[in-house]
Amino acid sequence: MNSWEQAYQKWNTFQNLDVSLKARLDDLKNSNQALEDAFYKELTFGTGGMRGILGPGINRMNIYTVRKAVNGLANYLLANRVNVKDRGVVIAYDSRYMSKEFAVEAAKVLGYYGIHTHVFESIRPTPILSFAVRYLGSTAGIMITASHNPPEYNGFKVYNETGGQIILEEAEKIIASIKETADELSVPYLELEQLAARRLLTWVGKEIDNAYLERLAQITRMDPVILNKEKELSIVYTPLHGTGLDLVTKGLAQLNFPNVHIVKEQAIPDPAFSTVESPNPEEHQAFSQALVLGKQVNADILLGTDPDADRLGVAVLTKDNEYQVLTGNQLGSLLLDYILKRNDPVIYPNARMIKTIVTTELGREIANSYKVETIDTLTGFKYIGEKIHQFAATGETFVFGFEESYGYLISSFVREKDAIQAAVMTTEMANYWKQQGKTLLDALDDLYVKHGYYLEGLSSLTLKGKEGGQQITKIMETIREQPLKEIAGLKVEKVENYLTGERASMKDNKVEQINLPRENMMKFKLEQNAWVCLRPSGTEPKIKCYFGVCGNSREASKQKLAALQEKMEGIIAGIISQ
């Protein structure tokens, strides 16, 4: 009997198996392929948590895999943190299937160990969970979300006492603790009635929201006279069936933006995300209904937040009365320039802008023009949050952080990407440029003229299941063992192997260390300010290839970018077919 069959039999013969999971397991009994995928491995708890398809099995998100993860977290906290039981853990959740149920299960397991939990009484954005950990002085936070994944997914993210996602060292210890829990079906827990009787559970209402909104009001760069006036800027906003509606609209109201039009069909929390193909503001189809409403009300900008409101997408009205969706790199560059333009330059010698290594180099050029230093991190906002925490010891000042995948942070009272902050600041910025007779697109063109036409692209290949995972491994191993020397006619100048932590120069064969944590990623720096980076996704069954170029015209950059993407897609397809 295969190991997956043994795991399946254990579940199938477990007499107290959850009724709904038992029914779904029965539905799969005639499909060995489906059963193997559900049981051939344990759902991976990665560097920040876990994410997977809902359903029965050890490779699925369900009450048993959640309990096991929380059991490991509880034991880790008790062994590595002080005053854990009283400081407790904050738990929030979004609008997905089973989100509140998983939040309650987490509280029940933590309660068994006498750890107090603060559980939000209704759905909340991820940045509110980050803020809540810091506000309450808790020892950790749990966010139940799968971000912008399809409806059949859910996830479990862990935050440390700084309000940021757990760092690598913490993740490794938590993973080890989880592995010590041998049987996910027999994790101990208390019932809700027991939690209440022992005063181990507090339901959280609006107190933390109000405290967050107070801090949000302080991030504005507007002059007091302008701040107190009602603005004419017309805004359309969609929360894409998620958690952002309440706080985004209140945040805009605080800055006196009255002309906010909500996409009503998408204002209702809906785990099926029934009006979109994908609730991902990175994809243009997510704006389809916002585009219709935008034309009806002649909106200057369209805003869209993903289900857990940590990512923001923006579209801008063009001179042709159409809407152009900004990329994450473009919006991040605009926000950075506006924030630095409106800050006191006296802070700049000590100020730091933080971006990831696959985020546009335009950000560095903008920061340099204000004499602000740029810090690069690995992909993932957790590394930006970690770096901000280190500033308390170094005395450096955080001014802005962003990543290409639509994640931005303006103020560090949150230690996670924050679409609420970004939505408010984007609206303020659009209003500022409107007063100058410009749109955000005009402001972006000015940045290109000044700094160069930086363009970026992303090619993403989905490879599901066991076989897909093997193919992703094969691609990365081949690229690592046989590094490219030229791509689309551009010579490779440096090869960065983040798994070994080495940067090799092709010109003089010198090798230097990369001062970043190890990760399964390869980056090729090319001549003419171009680059390519290959990286498996940490949250989805995908391998991603990032591209960046800079030319002296928009058309030249477009041609160079298209050539890079075509070449890399061909290389990857060739490796898979071998």
Side-chain angles (χ1 to χ4, degrees):
M1 185 180 290
N2 292 323
S3 59
W4 73 262
E5 292 174 304
Q6 293 173 343
Y8 163 62
Q9 287 299 333
K10 185 179 79 170
W11 275 56
N12 196 41
T13 57
F14 183 60
Q15 294 199 352
N16 294 321
L17 194 70
D18 175 79
V19 175
S20 62
L21 289 175
K22 176 62 175 172
R24 294 179 70 181
L25 200 59
D26 289 343
D27 291 340
L28 300 177
K29 64 184 178 183
N30 294 322
S31 174
N32 273 6
Q33 183 178 354
L35 287 174
E36 181 179 4
D37 193 55
F39 287 96
Y40 83 96
K41 67 171 184 175
E42 292 190 10
L43 188 62
T44 303
F45 190 100
T47 56
M50 60 186 189
R51 187 180 298 181
I53 296 171
L54 293 161
I58 59 175
N59 189 31
R60 295 288 183 264
M61 282 290 295
N62 52 64
I63 62 172
Y64 301 108
T65 51
V66 168
R67 285 176 186 170
K68 181 173 181 176
V70 178
N71 194 66
L73 175 62
N75 284 306
Y76 162 79
L77 292 173
L78 291 168
N80 293 276
R81 294 290 179 266
V82 298
N83 200 20
V84 173
K85 294 183 179 182
D86 291 336
R87 292 170 63 200
V89 174
V90 189
I91 305 174
Y93 51 94
D94 67 7
S95 55
R96 288 180 172 272
Y97 291 116
M98 296 296 293
S99 280
K100 186 169 186 177
E101 288 87 346
F102 291 159
V104 170
E105 291 298 329
K108 288 159 66 174
V109 173
L110 290 166
Y112 173 83
Y113 291 96
I115 300 173
H116 190 95
T117 54
H118 303 266
V119 183
F120 281 89
E121 59 188 12
S122 57
I123 60 173
R124 288 297 190 283
T126 290
I128 295 300
L129 183 276
S130 171
F131 175 76
V133 172
R134 296 171 57 77
Y135 180 78
L136 294 171
S138 297
T139 191
I142 295 172
M143 182 71 201
I144 306 296
T145 179
S147 189
H148 55 276
N149 278 54
E152 63 269 23
Y153 281 78
N154 211 330
F156 174 98
K157 293 172 71 174
V158 180
Y159 290 76
N160 61 28
E161 59 191 348
T162 73
Q165 291 184 47
I166 51 174
I167 62 175
L168 290 175
E169 180 184 348
E170 293 168 328
E172 289 172 358
K173 290 181 178 179
I174 293 170
I175 291 167
S177 182
I178 292 170
K179 287 180 178 177
E180 291 175 3
T181 305
D183 184 8
E184 68 281 347
L185 298 177
S186 59
V187 171
Y189 62 92
L190 299 181
E191 296 293 353
L192 278 176
E193 296 79 7
Q194 294 172 295
L195 294 179
R198 301 181 193 184
R199 297 183 179 179
L200 289 170
L201 172 61
T202 299
W203 291 102
V204 180
K206 294 290 186 180
E207 174 196 355
I208 290 174
D209 296 0
N210 294 335
Y212 172 91
L213 286 167
E214 286 182 15
R215 296 297 301 272
L216 183 67
Q218 296 169 23
I219 73 171
T220 181
R221 266 63 174 183
M222 282 189 283
D223 297 327
V225 174
I226 296 174
L227 174 62
N228 293 324
K229 289 182 179 179
E230 286 194 349
K231 286 80 173 172
E232 295 180 359
L233 192 79
S234 180
I235 306 133
V236 162
Y237 169 58
T238 171
L240 295 176
H241 300 294
T243 61
L245 180 63
D246 184 57
L247 289 167
V248 169
T249 52
K250 286 178 178 176
L252 292 173
Q254 287 184 151
L255 299 188
N256 291 303
F257 284 98
N259 300 319
V260 181
H261 309 274
I262 307 300
V263 180
K264 293 181 180 178
E265 298 86 351
Q266 297 174 338
I268 304 165
D270 175 10
F273 309 117
S274 53
T275 67
V276 290
E277 293 176 22
S278 168
N280 185 357
E282 294 181 69
E283 298 177 13
H284 293 189
Q285 56 79 28
F287 280 97
S288 57
Q289 295 204 9
L291 289 167
V292 174
L293 180 58
K295 289 190 175 182
Q296 290 175 357
V297 301
N298 195 33
D300 296 289
I301 58 171
L302 315 178
L303 307 174
T305 53
D306 68 343
D308 66 323
D310 63 353
R311 299 173 192 259
L312 173 74
V314 174
V316 182
L317 186 65
T318 69
K319 292 180 173 62
D320 299 325
N321 284 322
E322 298 295 333
Y323 287 96
Q324 180 176 326
V325 179
L326 298 175
T327 69
N329 284 312
Q330 290 170 337
L331 180 57
S333 298
L334 284 164
L335 284 168
L336 173 64
D337 179 68
Y338 174 73
I339 288 166
L340 294 179
K341 187 187 300 290
R342 304 290 293 170
N343 255 344
D344 186 346
V346 74
I347 73 166
Y348 291 161
N350 203 42
R352 304 291 181 262
M353 185 277 284
I354 313 175
K355 72 175 190 66
T356 71
I357 60 173
V358 296
T359 299
T360 180
E361 288 298 304
L362 178 56
R364 191 187 314 277
E365 292 298 317
I366 292 168
N368 286 345
S369 72
Y370 289 94
K371 295 182 170 55
V372 169
E373 184 180 326
T374 296
I375 294 176
D376 290 294
T377 71
L378 290 179
T379 305
F381 221 88
K382 62 180 295 173
Y383 297 108
I384 295 177
E386 180 183 4
K387 188 60 68 174
I388 294 170
H389 177 64
Q390 293 170 3
F391 288 170
T394 63
E396 295 163 283
T397 301
F398 171 76
V399 290
F400 185 64
F402 77 116
E403 59 183 3
E404 48 76 36
S405 55
Y406 289 54
Y408 323 94
L409 183 64
I410 289 89
S411 177
S412 61
F413 66 86
V414 167
R415 298 293 170 85
E416 174 65 286
K417 53 187 175 288
D418 187 344
I420 305 161
Q421 287 190 34
V424 168
M425 187 58 73
T426 297
T427 304
E428 174 181 321
M429 173 176 66
N431 185 69
Y432 169 84
W433 286 116
K434 186 173 184 177
Q435 300 309 307
Q436 317 301 314
K438 296 182 177 182
T439 68
L440 292 181
L441 295 173
D442 295 326
L444 182 63
D445 284 338
D446 290 345
L447 291 177
Y448 287 146
V449 169
K450 182 176 181 180
H451 300 291
Y453 285 85
Y454 286 85
L455 294 182
E456 297 77 30
L458 171 64
S459 179
S460 184
L461 179 63
T462 300
L463 296 165
K464 294 183 178 180
K466 184 178 181 180
E467 183 181 352
Q470 293 170 342
Q471 289 175 325
I472 290 173
T473 299
K474 179 182 177 182
I475 293 166
M476 291 305 299
E477 287 179 349
T478 302
I479 292 291
R480 190 174 295 111
E481 293 167 4
Q482 304 169 29
L484 305 168
K485 296 181 179 179
E486 77 71 35
I487 306 173
L490 296 174
K491 291 180 181 178
V492 174
E493 294 184 338
K494 292 184 179 180
V495 177
E496 296 181 340
N497 184 339
Y498 287 86
L499 197 60
T500 62
E502 294 178 329
R503 179 184 295 112
S505 171
M506 299 296 99
K507 188 174 182 179
D508 53 18
N509 293 319
K510 287 185 178 180
V511 177
E512 59 183 358
Q513 293 299 305
I514 299 172
N515 189 27
L516 289 172
R518 302 290 183 260
E519 183 163 304
N520 185 18
M521 179 164 54
M522 292 289 291
K523 186 173 183 179
F524 299 90
K525 292 188 173 180
L526 314 175
E527 59 184 341
Q528 300 179 26
N529 287 327
W531 57 269
V532 171
C533 185
L534 199 61
R535 169 183 173 267
S537 171
T539 57
E540 301 172 272
K542 292 181 178 181
I543 186 164
K544 296 182 176 182
C545 194
Y546 304 82
F547 314 91
V549 300
C550 180
N552 54 16
S553 71
R554 189 188 303 274
E555 192 55 40
S557 291
K558 281 184 176 180
Q559 290 177 3
K560 198 182 297 185
L561 190 68
L564 280 179
Q565 184 161 345
E566 181 180 1
K567 182 64 175 179
M568 284 304 300
E569 288 176 353
I571 290 171
I572 292 170
I575 294 171
I576 292 175
S577 65
Q578 289 174 2

